[in-house]
Amino acid sequence: MYADRMIEWVLLQLDRRTDPLFVGIDGRSGAGKSTLAEAVRSELSVGVSVIEGDDFYGGGSGACWDARSVEEKVDTVIDWARQSDVLRALRSDGTATWHPFDWEATDWDSDEVRLARTTIETQAQPLVLLEGAYSCRPELHSLLDALVLLDPPADLRRAQLLGREGDEYRSQWESRWSAAEDHYFSNVMPPNRFDFVLRS
């Protein structure tokens, strides 16, 4: 359902331009952003580049995260400066390379350790999707042509999060991560700041 509506909307945008369309897909944890991006990539008739927001986790152990204020969490959870570099390179050069966050790293607080040694490279296709929570933050607006919010019902989102990560992770997420998302989607990027909102 969401993919069909997203594809219809994207095709309308593409009809109005000849250069690549850069779109951010934002939403709370468990909303289905990655699934939506993959569905668009597989079903759309033109090439699609997908940049995964998880590659740009800002680092920080649980203890480090818990010591931050809600505003600090929103500002640091995703390394938006590196996302900005990638989007800018795609726009200017048509290609971008980055080191993703290493989720197996032994030290999430160390700049030298937390990024993987391997690199990811992508080319700018007619549609470029940056997907992940915080992907439409204001610092990226000048590099994104459109801001999309995926906003399914809360019970569906929590069920998807539970199915993906398990009950222990969900309870930890709700106590540790949800306050930052509440602040971001209420104060930084409320629904009326998006160009297209996908709801049931």
Side-chain angles (χ1 to χ4, degrees), residues 10-24:
V10 164
L11 288 173
L12 288 174
Q13 311 310 309
L14 290 174
D15 281 345
R16 302 169 183 167
R17 59 194 305 128
T18 57
D19 56 328
L21 174 68
F22 286 72
V23 177

Side-chain angles (χ1 to χ4, degrees), residues 14-154:
L14 290 174
D15 281 345
R16 302 169 183 167
R17 59 194 305 128
T18 57
D19 56 328
L21 174 68
F22 286 72
V23 177
I25 300 179
D26 211 330
R28 293 174 181 263
S29 297
K33 301 174 293 296
S34 298
T35 301
L36 174 63
E38 185 53 41
V40 171
R41 174 161 54 184
S42 64
E43 297 175 25
L44 199 63
S45 58
V46 301
V48 181
S49 304
V50 176
I51 305 167
E52 297 181 9
D54 284 351
D55 287 351
F56 301 89
Y57 176 57
S61 61
C64 179
W65 175 263
D66 292 341
R68 297 171 182 164
S69 68
V70 170
E71 292 80 7
E72 289 171 333
K73 291 173 181 176
V74 170
D75 288 342
T76 60
V77 62
I78 296 296
D79 191 341
W80 58 265
R82 289 204 306 125
Q83 288 182 327
S84 177
D85 290 341
V86 168
L87 294 173
R88 190 172 288 107
L90 286 172
R91 282 187 172 276
S92 62
D93 305 327
T95 186
T97 304
W98 65 93
H99 292 271
F101 183 83
D102 184 0
W103 294 95
E104 303 300 323
T106 56
D107 185 355
W108 285 15
D109 297 324
S110 169
D111 290 338
E112 293 76 22
V113 175
R114 68 188 185 198
L115 294 184
R117 293 184 179 181
T118 57
T119 59
I120 295 176
E121 181 176 339
T122 194
Q123 311 292 322
Q125 301 294 331
L127 175 63
V128 178
L129 298 177
L130 173 63
E131 65 84 9
Y134 308 97
S135 288
C136 293
R137 58 179 307 121
E139 292 87 351
L140 300 177
H141 287 186
S142 65
L143 297 167
L144 295 170
D145 300 309
L147 313 175
V148 174
L149 173 62
L150 179 57
D151 188 25

